[in-house]
Amino acid sequence: MPSIGTLAFDEFGRPVLILKGQESKKRLFGIEAHKSHILAGKAVADTLKTSLGPRGMDKCMVSPDGDITITNDGATILSMMHVENEIGKLLVQLSKSQDDEIGDGTTGVVVLAGALLEHAEALLDKGIHPIRIADGYELAAKIALDHLDKIAESYPLDLTKLDPLINTAMTTLGSKIVSRCQRQMAEIAVNAILNVADMERRDVNFELIKVQGKVGGRLEDTLLVKGVVVDKTFSHPQMPKEVRNAKIAILTCPFEPPKPKTKHKLDITNVEDYKKLREYEKEKFTEMIKSIKDSGTNLVICQWGFDDEANHLLLSHELPAVRWVGGPEIELIAIATGGRIVPRFQELTAEKLGYAGYVRELNFGTTSDHMLCIEQCKKSNTCTIFVRGGNKMIVEEAKRALHDALCVVRNLVRDNRIVYGGGACEISCAIEVAKEANQIPTIEQYAIRAFADALESVPLALAENSGFSPIKTLSDVKSQQIAENNPRLGVDCLNTGTNDMKAQLVIETLIGKRQQISLATQLVRMILKIDDIRLPGESEE
Amino acid sequence: MQPMIIILKEGTDSSQGKSQIISNISACQAVAEAIRTTLGPRGMDKLIVDNRGKATISNDGATILKLLEIIHPAARTLVDIAKSQDAEVGDGTTSVVLLTVEILKNTKTFIEDGMHPTIIIRAIRKATALATKKVKEIAVYVKSDDAKEHRALLEKCAQTTLSSKLIARQREFFSKMVVDAVLMLDELLPLNMIGIKKVTGGSLEESRIVDGVAFKKTFSYAGFEMQHKKFLKPKIALLNIELELKAERDNAEIRLDNVAEYQKIVDAEWSILYDKLEKLHTAGVNVVLSKLPIGDVATQYFADRDMFCAGRVQEDDLKRTQKACGGAIITTVENLNEQSQQVMGTCEIFEEIQIGSERYNFFTGCPKAKTATMILRGGAEQFIDEVERSLHDAIMIVRRAVKNDSIVAGGGAIEMALSRTLRDYSRTVPGKEQLIIAAYAKAFEVIPRQLCENAGFDATNILNKLRQKHAENHMWFGVDIMHEDVSDNFTAAVWEPAVVKINAITAASEAACLILSVDETIKVPKSSAEPSNAAKAMNMA
C-alpha cells in the first residue's frame, strides 16, 4: 500500500516529493502509535503515583536556573517537569485543568488516566478497536458517575459548626508537607473562605483572599489576618507604629507637585523665577497636606513615592504614610476599608476615606523586616493568610497546600455533597461498574471491566505508598465492602485501626471526584482516537 | 552538428505525457492514504506536530491536509478542494478527497490503456450531472413550517456530523447547543455572530450557550474590583476612545516661562479626560466597553460612580456586543447626553461570572440577540481546539440545512444509491463512455467501504449485502456501524443535508477532471527569482 512517509516513485524510479521535508519527517502509524502514546502516558502517571495519599512522597524539582521546588502537588510537579512528549503534555494539561476547576485531586486524575491507558493496552492486544474501548470507557464512566451520586452524602453546611468543613480541608492537607499542623491550617482555610463566601450565590471570590509568605518563624506561626497585610512600612521611622481608628486616604497620585504628561520644558532665566518655582512647590505641598488634613485623614496610603521633603512635612503634620504600595494591594485595601481610590488631591473628601480599626506594623524576629497589617476593616471580607516557615521551599509548598485546601472548602460551599476518600469511593464505583459490565451485550463489556480495574489503581497506589501489600489490602477492603454493603470503607493509610472512612473523617468533595473521572475518561478517549502521528524531523536549517 | 536550442532554464524539471498523468494520480492516492482512516464514526484522529512544535489533534480532513504541507503540485489540488468544501459546506472534507482519489484510481487503468483523457473527462462530466440530478430527485423534503419537526431535522443533521468526532458520545448535548446557536441568528446566518470561547478545565458537559455575548475579563487596573459586577438593564456604551491620562500629542513640547502656567496645563490635561468621563456619567451609562485601553484614573472614576468598565475589548467581541445589545461603537463622547439613547445598547442582565479559573463578562437577554456565544469546557487545550473544529462543522451543516430542508441518508446509503443508478445507466450507453461511467459508479462505493474498514468490518461482505439491498430498491440502506450490519439509515436518522452531497460530488469530479487534464508539469528551479520567459509561455499554453 503506498503511503506517505515512504517515498512514492515515478516510472523512472525517481522519488516524487509530496510533502515538504518529507525525508526527515517521522511518522508513527496504527498500533505502534497507540503503543507509544500509552507508554508515554504511563510514564508520566508513574512519576506521580508515589506522591498520592497521606504517605505519599514529595518530589524535588530543579529548574534550569537552579531554583529548587519541593512539592507534592500533581499539577505543580507536572508543570515543572517540562514534558516534551505530546501525549505527556496532554496529561500535564489534564492535571492543570483539574487544578483550575477544582484545585485538588490533581495527582489522582493523572493516576487514573494512566491506569485507563494501561488497561487499554491489554485490550488493544486482544484486537479490540480503540474507539470501542473509548466508548466502553465512557459508558463505564457514566455508570461510575451515577453511582457516585448515589453514594454521595449531603453535608450539613452550618456556619456555627465548622468541624465538618475543617475535616474535609484536613483530608486535603493530609498528604502535604504541612500535615504537622494540619488542624491549624485547615481552620485557617475554612475561616478564610467563610469570611469571603457569598452564601446566597454560593460563590467565593478568590481574589479577596491573599496568601502571603515570609521566610522565618515556624509553620505554626502561620496566621489569618482579617484584613490586609502589605509588605511595606511607614515611610518615616519616627511615625507611630500603630494607628487606631485609622481613616485612610488611598491615593494613586504621587506626593509631589503635579506634572503634565505632555513633554514640557520650564525656562528659568533668573533668580526671581527660581524662587517662584520653589514657592510654588512649597505651596503645593502645603496645599496637599491641607487637603488631606481637612478631610480628616490620619493615615495616607500612596501608590507612588514621595521625596524626603514631603515625608518630613507629613511627619510634622502627624500624618503617618505608606508609600509604593502596589496596585493590587491598593485595590484590596480599598475594598477592605470601604474607601475609594483617589486619583487627585482635589477630589479627596471625607466620604472617600476608608476605615480600619487597627493598623499596625508587624516585626519579625531579629530581622529588620516589617510588614503593615490593616485589621478590623469596615467591610472586612478580605483576608490575608500569612504563611511562615523555616525556608523558602516550605513556605512555597505550604502556600500551595493552602490553595488546595481553600479550593476544597470553596467547592463544599458551592455543592455540599461529599464522598469518602482513602480510595473508598473508587472501590465502591469499581464494584458497581464491574457488576454492570456483565449486563452489557457488546464488546464494550471488556472495556467496562477494564475501567473497573483502572479505578482500583487509586486505592492500590494508596496502599502501596503506605507500605501495605497492595493486592491484599485492596481485596480485603473490596470483599468487606461487598459483604457489608458499605461504600465508606477505604484504605487505612495511617494505621488508625479502622478502615471506615466516615470514622476516620477522610472526606472528599463530590464535584472533585466527578470531575476526576469525567476528565480522565474524556482525555483517554482523545488519546485512543489518535492512530497517526507526524513529527517534523530535524530541520536542516 | 546541430546547435542545441535551450528553451527552458537550466535545471527546470519538466515531465510530460501519459506517465505524468499516472504519476500525478499516484501522488494523489498517497495523500488520500493519510486521511483515509479519519472517515466515519470509527474514524481515528491524527496528531500532527509542526516545525514550531505545536501539536494539533484533528479528525477534520481539511485541517489535516492543511497541516501536512503538501508540495506536490497535483496533490495540492486535493488540499484545495478540501478547503473549498470546508468553506462552502463545512463538512464532508474527508469524503470529498476520498471520492476524488477513487475516481482517479478507477480511471487510471483506462489512461494506461491509452484512452484519451478528454474522453474520460467528458464521461465524468456526464456522470456528475446525472448523479447530482439523482440526489436532488431522491432527497426527502422536510416541511419547515412545523417548527418542532424542523428543529428535530436540524438536530439529526448535526448529530450525524458530530458522530465521527471526538465528542461523539456527547453529540446529543452538543447538537442541541449548535441548533440553538444557529436558530438565534438572523436571516443571513452570519457565522461570525456565533462566538466560541474556550476555557480549559471542567468537563465537556459543562459547556454552555449564552443567548448574547460573553468574553473574558480584560486587563484591569486598580479600582476594578470595586466596581459593580452586576447590572440589570444597564446602558452600555461602546467606545473606540482611549480613556487614559496621557500626552495628547506625542511629539508636542510645551515651553513654560511662568510657574503659574504649570498648574493650568496640568488642569487642562485632567479636564480633557474628566470631560469625557463626565459626559459618559451624565448620559447615564452603566457599562463602558472600549476597544482601546481604559486607564487607572478612569477605572477609579467609574468605580467611584458605580459604573463598570472594560478596556482593550477584542474587536469582534465588541462588534458582537453591539449586534446583540444595539447601540453603536462611538468614537467621540462629545454629543453624548441623556437623549442620545440610540447609540447606547442595553440588555437584561450584565454580570461577571467565574468560569473555571477565568472570569467572564456576560451580556444576556439582549433585545436584538442575533448572536450567541458558546463557552466550551474540556480537559486540555488540544481537546477543546478539536471540539471547536467539530462544532464548526456542525454549525456549518446546520446553517446549510436551515436554508435547504432536503436531506439524504448518510452512512454510505446515498453513495450506494448513486452507484447503482449510474451503473444501470452505463449499460445503456454505447461506446467507451460506458466503461468510464461504470468506473465512476464504482468510485462511489469507496465511502461505505472505508466506513467498514475503519470500523474493522469485513468490507466486501457488507458491500455485497448493500448492493443486494439496493438492487431490491431499498435505496436508504447503508452501513450500520453499531451492529456490524446494514440497515435503513433513513429510519435510523443518519441524515445529511442533500446540498452537502451535491457539493461534494461536483467538487470531487471537477478536481478529478482537472488532474486528468494535466499532462505536463514544468517546475522551475527554486534559485531563480523569476521564471524564464520560455517557461511562462509554456505555462500559458
Side-chain angles (χ1 to χ4, degrees):
Chain A
M1 198 163 67
S3 80
I4 285 189
T6 56
L7 294 177
F9 294 96
D10 67 3
E11 69 279 17
F12 305 115
R14 289 183 308 189
V16 182
L17 280 186
I18 297 171
L19 301 183
K20 203 170 147 196
Q22 184 169 320
E23 315 85 358
S24 62
K25 270 193 180 155
K26 273 185 279 183
R27 182 187 192 211
L28 270 180
F29 186 73
I31 194 81
E32 256 172 68
H34 284 125
K35 286 277 164 71
S36 99
H37 296 158
I38 289 170
L39 204 67
K42 258 166 47 185
V44 172
D46 279 346
T47 341
L48 284 192
K49 225 174 199 166
T50 53
S51 50
L52 196 75
R55 290 277 155 89
M57 304 305 275
D58 287 1
K59 306 268 174 279
C60 173
M61 247 97 44
V62 184
S63 78
D65 3 305
D67 283 345
I68 297 169
T69 313
I70 295 177
T71 184
N72 180 283
D73 181 54
T76 317
I77 298 173
L78 286 179
S79 66
M80 301 197 69
M81 265 166 54
H82 292 285
V83 178
E84 280 283 322
N85 184 284
E86 295 310 323
I87 302 301
K89 273 187 198 157
L90 283 177
L91 285 173
V92 175
Q93 285 185 2
L94 171 75
S95 107
K96 195 178 163 296
S97 69
Q98 172 85 7
D99 195 31
D100 288 347
E101 192 72 15
I102 305 295
D104 185 37
T106 50
T107 316
V109 70
V110 176
V111 171
L112 184 60
L116 284 174
L117 285 175
E118 195 176 333
H119 285 93
E121 191 180 8
L123 294 178
L124 282 174
D125 285 343
K126 279 187 190 152
I128 298 178
H129 197 281
I131 291 187
R132 304 204 80 160
I133 300 176
D135 280 350
Y137 277 177
E138 294 215 353
L139 273 177
K142 205 169 163 295
I143 298 171
L145 291 181
D146 288 344
H147 184 65
L148 269 185
D149 281 342
K150 238 180 277 161
I151 60 168
E153 286 174 23
S154 194
Y155 218 52
L157 198 63
D158 187 352
L159 294 190
T160 50
K161 270 197 297 191
L162 298 179
D163 271 4
L165 285 176
I166 293 173
N167 287 333
T168 325
M170 275 170 69
T171 310
T172 306
L173 292 172
S175 61
K176 312 282 175 185
I177 203 165
V178 293
S179 57
R180 188 152 52 94
C181 35
Q182 204 175 358
R183 176 92 198 171
Q184 187 197 354
M185 289 290 184
E187 273 170 20
I188 287 175
V190 171
N191 283 327
I193 289 284
L194 291 183
N195 209 16
V196 300
D198 183 345
M199 280 315 208
E200 248 165 67
R201 279 178 63 202
R202 288 186 166 264
D203 196 18
V204 177
N205 188 353
F206 264 7
E207 312 239 335
L208 297 178
I209 302 174
K210 224 175 134 223
V211 182
Q212 272 214 338
K214 189 102 184 162
V215 177
R218 293 175 306 159
L219 217 47
E220 285 85 347
D221 293 336
T222 301
L223 52 102
L224 175 73
V225 179
K226 289 193 178 167
V228 188
V229 174
V230 189
D231 195 0
K232 290 284 175 301
T233 54
F234 287 115
S235 59
H236 199 285
Q238 280 174 323
M239 284 177 182
K241 294 289 173 230
E242 54 176 57
V243 182
R244 286 192 185 268
N245 294 327
K247 289 198 181 110
I248 307 168
I250 304 156
L251 301 173
T252 51
C253 47
F255 229 104
E256 55 188 35
K259 277 199 197 105
K261 292 264 176 179
T262 315
K263 216 157 114 191
H264 60 279
K265 197 171 175 183
L266 184 62
D267 286 334
I268 296 173
T269 42
N270 52 23
V271 183
E272 205 67 4
D273 277 354
Y274 193 70
K275 275 185 183 155
K276 256 195 225 159
L277 179 66
R278 272 211 52 195
E279 277 303 310
Y280 167 78
E281 287 196 351
K282 211 167 158 190
E283 201 181 294
K284 277 286 154 200
F285 274 128
T286 3
E287 212 175 272
M288 283 180 219
I289 301 277
K290 195 170 164 294
S291 65
I292 293 172
K293 268 282 175 200
D294 285 350
S295 63
T297 311
N298 57 5
L299 175 64
V300 180
I301 288 179
C302 186
Q303 193 178 7
W304 305 104
F306 35 83
D307 54 17
D308 289 344
E309 195 178 342
N311 208 356
H312 174 77
L313 271 170
L314 284 166
L315 180 68
S316 59
H317 283 89
E318 287 172 354
L319 275 173
V322 187
R323 55 184 161 184
W324 295 121
V325 180
E329 275 118 7
I330 283 269
E331 205 164 6
L332 271 179
I333 295 172
I335 294 171
T337 61
R340 297 289 195 182
I341 299 172
V342 181
R344 280 215 297 183
F345 285 101
Q346 284 92 323
E347 286 178 30
L348 195 63
T349 54
E351 300 88 68
K352 293 194 177 175
L353 299 181
Y355 174 83
Y358 188 36
V359 179
R360 66 191 161 118
E361 223 177 72
L362 287 175
N363 293 340
F364 299 110
T366 53
T367 55
S368 54
D369 279 350
H370 300 285
M371 274 187 158
L372 203 66
C373 181
I374 302 171
E375 283 176 291
Q376 298 168 19
C377 302
K378 194 153 77 184
K379 295 181 183 164
S380 91
N381 58 354
T382 59
C383 54
T384 307
I385 298 173
F386 194 59
V387 183
R388 304 300 311 274
N391 58 43
K392 196 169 154 244
M393 282 170 266
I394 289 211
V395 172
E396 290 297 315
E397 177 65 3
K399 272 165 118 177
R400 274 191 292 272
L402 270 171
H403 170 255
D404 282 9
L406 287 172
C407 288
V408 167
V409 180
R410 176 201 51 186
N411 294 340
L412 270 183
V413 170
R414 278 194 189 156
D415 183 346
N416 61 0
R417 284 178 297 167
I418 52 120
V419 289
Y420 290 96
C425 62
E426 279 91 354
I427 297 174
S428 171
C429 283
I431 295 171
E432 179 69 18
V433 170
K435 207 165 73 193
E436 292 284 323
N438 297 336
Q439 294 167 17
I440 307 276
T442 44
I443 305 179
E444 277 87 3
Q445 196 189 82
Y446 285 90
I448 294 174
R449 223 171 266 146
F451 189 90
D453 290 344
L455 275 175
E456 284 169 6
S457 65
V458 173
L460 274 179
L462 274 178
E464 201 174 327
N465 291 345
S466 312
F468 303 139
S469 148
I471 309 275
K472 187 176 174 296
T473 318
L474 179 69
S475 46
D476 282 356
V477 175
K478 211 168 151 186
S479 68
Q480 212 179 339
Q481 270 213 15
I482 296 176
E484 295 176 23
N485 196 15
N486 181 356
R488 296 185 300 273
L489 300 177
V491 179
D492 178 19
C493 301
L494 296 171
N495 252 336
T496 47
T498 169
N499 54 11
D500 189 335
M501 289 299 140
K502 195 172 184 177
Q504 271 205 33
L505 295 170
V506 180
I507 299 158
E508 287 184 68
T509 55
L510 173 69
I511 37 177
K513 270 284 165 271
R514 284 187 66 104
Q515 186 85 6
Q516 276 189 356
I517 293 179
S518 59
L519 273 183
T521 317
Q522 278 163 14
L523 194 91
V524 168
R525 180 187 185 90
M526 179 165 202
I527 295 175
L528 284 177
K529 211 161 176 272
I530 302 169
D531 75 334
D532 194 353
I533 327 171
R534 285 161 194 280
L535 295 165
E538 261 68 324
S539 53
E540 289 108 80
E541 294 96 297
Chain B
M1 203 182 90
Q2 195 83 23
M4 223 164 70
I5 306 167
I6 298 173
I7 304 171
L8 298 182
K9 201 178 154 105
E10 207 187 322
T12 306
D13 179 28
S14 115
S15 35
Q16 55 179 314
K18 196 167 86 182
S19 59
Q20 175 62 19
I21 302 179
I22 289 168
S23 141
N24 279 345
I25 293 176
S26 312
C28 291
Q29 271 179 285
V31 171
E33 255 353 282
I35 57 166
R36 195 169 277 272
T37 55
T38 63
L39 192 79
R42 291 278 150 81
M44 307 297 278
D45 288 3
K46 311 277 157 198
L47 186 144
I48 301 166
V49 184
D50 69 9
N51 286 328
R52 288 185 300 280
K54 190 181 173 296
T56 311
I57 297 175
S58 183
N59 178 277
D60 182 51
T63 312
I64 297 169
L65 286 178
K66 210 161 27 185
L67 289 169
L68 278 180
E69 294 185 311
I70 293 171
I71 50 165
H72 191 278
R76 281 290 291 272
T77 325
L78 294 179
V79 183
D80 290 340
I81 57 162
K83 266 190 207 159
S84 82
Q85 175 83 2
D86 197 30
E88 193 64 25
V89 285
D91 190 33
T93 48
T94 308
S95 32
V96 73
V97 174
L98 283 185
L99 202 55
T100 313
V101 173
E102 197 65 17
I103 296 172
L104 289 173
K105 194 176 122 194
N106 287 351
T107 49
K108 198 165 141 189
T109 44
F110 302 119
I111 299 274
E112 276 166 352
D113 291 346
M115 203 187 276
H116 198 277
T118 47
I119 297 174
I120 299 176
I121 290 168
R122 201 186 309 136
I124 291 179
R125 292 247 160 90
K126 204 179 207 172
T128 312
L130 257 170
T132 47
K133 208 177 109 213
K134 178 75 181 167
V135 175
K136 282 180 194 151
E137 211 175 279
I138 61 172
V140 178
Y141 287 83
V142 176
K143 280 180 276 46
S144 66
D145 32 292
D146 185 350
K148 215 171 146 193
E149 209 169 295
H150 189 56
R151 203 195 143 83
L153 159 85
L154 297 180
E155 274 180 24
K156 297 251 168 64
C157 290
Q159 279 187 28
T160 309
T161 308
L162 291 178
S163 66
S164 65
K165 310 287 180 189
L166 192 59
I167 46 179
R169 276 278 151 187
Q170 288 81 16
R171 62 175 181 267
E172 277 179 35
F173 175 81
F174 279 105
S175 64
K176 275 203 187 69
M177 219 165 114
V178 166
V179 173
D180 277 338
V182 173
L183 291 183
M184 270 180 211
L185 301 180
D186 56 12
E187 286 294 292
L188 283 171
L189 307 174
L191 187 62
N192 56 1
M193 281 300 128
I194 299 180
I196 297 184
K197 301 281 160 191
K198 298 173 277 187
V199 189
T200 47
S203 65
L204 275 174
E205 287 83 0
E206 280 165 53
S207 304
R208 55 189 280 197
I209 182 164
V210 182
D211 61 333
V213 189
F215 53 85
K216 207 158 113 183
K217 179 193 146 214
T218 50
F219 177 80
S220 63
Y221 287 95
F224 179 78
E225 289 303 326
M226 292 161 68
Q227 293 176 343
H228 271 249
K229 298 292 162 57
K230 187 172 182 178
F231 288 100
L232 295 174
K233 291 201 178 279
K235 280 186 193 169
I236 305 162
L238 308 159
L239 308 179
N240 193 3
I241 319 172
E242 213 169 324
L243 295 176
E244 208 163 10
L245 193 60
K246 54 154 191 167
E248 284 298 317
R249 288 278 173 276
D250 282 340
N251 46 3
E253 191 185 278
I254 306 170
R255 280 170 197 257
L256 306 169
D257 54 356
N258 191 345
V259 186
E261 300 284 311
Y262 209 84
Q263 183 66 39
K264 278 187 199 160
I265 290 173
V266 176
D267 285 345
E269 276 185 353
W270 279 86
S271 65
I272 290 175
L273 177 64
Y274 266 58
D275 276 350
K276 288 182 196 163
L277 300 179
E278 191 69 37
K279 279 262 163 52
L280 286 168
H281 179 56
T282 47
V285 175
N286 305 109
V287 176
V288 182
L289 303 178
S290 179
K291 211 167 89 182
L292 296 170
I294 293 180
D296 49 352
V297 175
T299 309
Q300 286 144 21
Y301 181 96
F302 290 138
D304 211 6
R305 285 157 186 78
D306 287 336
M307 292 155 76
F308 177 87
C309 70
R312 294 180 209 264
V313 178
Q314 298 275 318
E315 191 169 358
D316 53 335
D317 287 334
L318 199 66
K319 276 201 180 132
R320 289 198 305 116
T321 316
Q322 185 228 328
K323 286 268 176 188
C325 304
I329 297 172
I330 44 179
T331 47
T332 174
V333 289
E334 272 312 304
N335 305 318
L336 208 62
N337 55 37
E338 278 196 61
Q339 274 77 50
S340 52
Q341 297 300 345
Q342 69 277 9
V343 295
M344 278 186 261
T346 187
C347 63
E348 283 299 317
I349 304 167
F350 161 77
E351 203 176 357
E352 192 188 86
I353 294 175
Q354 181 103 18
I355 298 182
S357 61
E358 314 265 16
R359 286 203 278 164
Y360 268 74
N361 298 318
F362 280 82
F363 297 86
T364 46
C366 304
K368 296 176 183 166
K370 294 287 181 222
T371 175
T373 308
M374 290 185 189
I375 296 171
L376 302 182
R377 310 296 314 275
E381 206 185 314
Q382 279 102 329
F383 191 89
I384 305 188
D385 284 349
E386 174 64 6
V387 172
E388 188 195 355
R389 275 191 292 272
S390 314
L391 286 186
H392 169 257
D393 283 8
I395 291 171
M396 292 297 279
I397 285 290
V398 173
R399 279 180 62 205
R400 275 282 156 186
V402 167
K403 285 182 191 162
N404 302 282
D405 42 9
S406 62
I407 50 158
V408 293
I414 178 74
E415 282 84 4
M416 286 309 289
L418 288 177
S419 173
R420 183 203 160 207
T421 320
L422 288 174
R423 202 166 36 236
D424 289 351
Y425 171 76
S426 72
R427 308 238 161 88
T428 65
V429 182
K432 288 180 190 165
E433 283 182 7
Q434 185 195 38
L435 286 172
I436 316 281
I437 295 177
Y440 185 84
K442 198 163 183 296
F444 277 111
E445 287 179 1
V446 70
I447 304 285
R449 163 167 285 134
Q450 195 60 48
L451 284 176
C452 294
E453 268 172 21
N454 288 349
F457 302 158
D458 183 349
T460 321
N461 185 20
I462 301 264
L463 272 183
N464 282 337
K465 278 187 192 169
L466 278 178
R467 279 196 208 106
Q468 181 251 340
K469 284 283 176 198
H470 279 264
E472 289 170 4
N473 272 330
H474 297 292
M475 65 177 178
W476 293 131
F477 265 74
V479 185
D480 182 352
I481 300 287
M482 290 306 138
H483 302 101
E484 194 171 344
D485 203 349
V486 295
S487 70
D488 188 338
N489 277 351
F490 196 81
T491 44
V494 183
W495 295 350
E496 287 178 84
V499 62
V500 174
K501 283 293 158 205
I502 295 176
N503 199 69
I505 295 169
T506 347
S509 308
E510 256 157 35
C513 294
L514 183 72
I515 291 167
L516 286 174
S517 64
V518 175
D519 74 336
E520 178 158 357
T521 312
I522 296 158
K523 214 161 145 197
V524 182
K526 235 181 193 167
S527 56
S528 67
E530 281 172 47
S532 65
N533 286 336
K536 256 191 207 162
M538 295 290 279
N539 267 340
M540 272 173 219

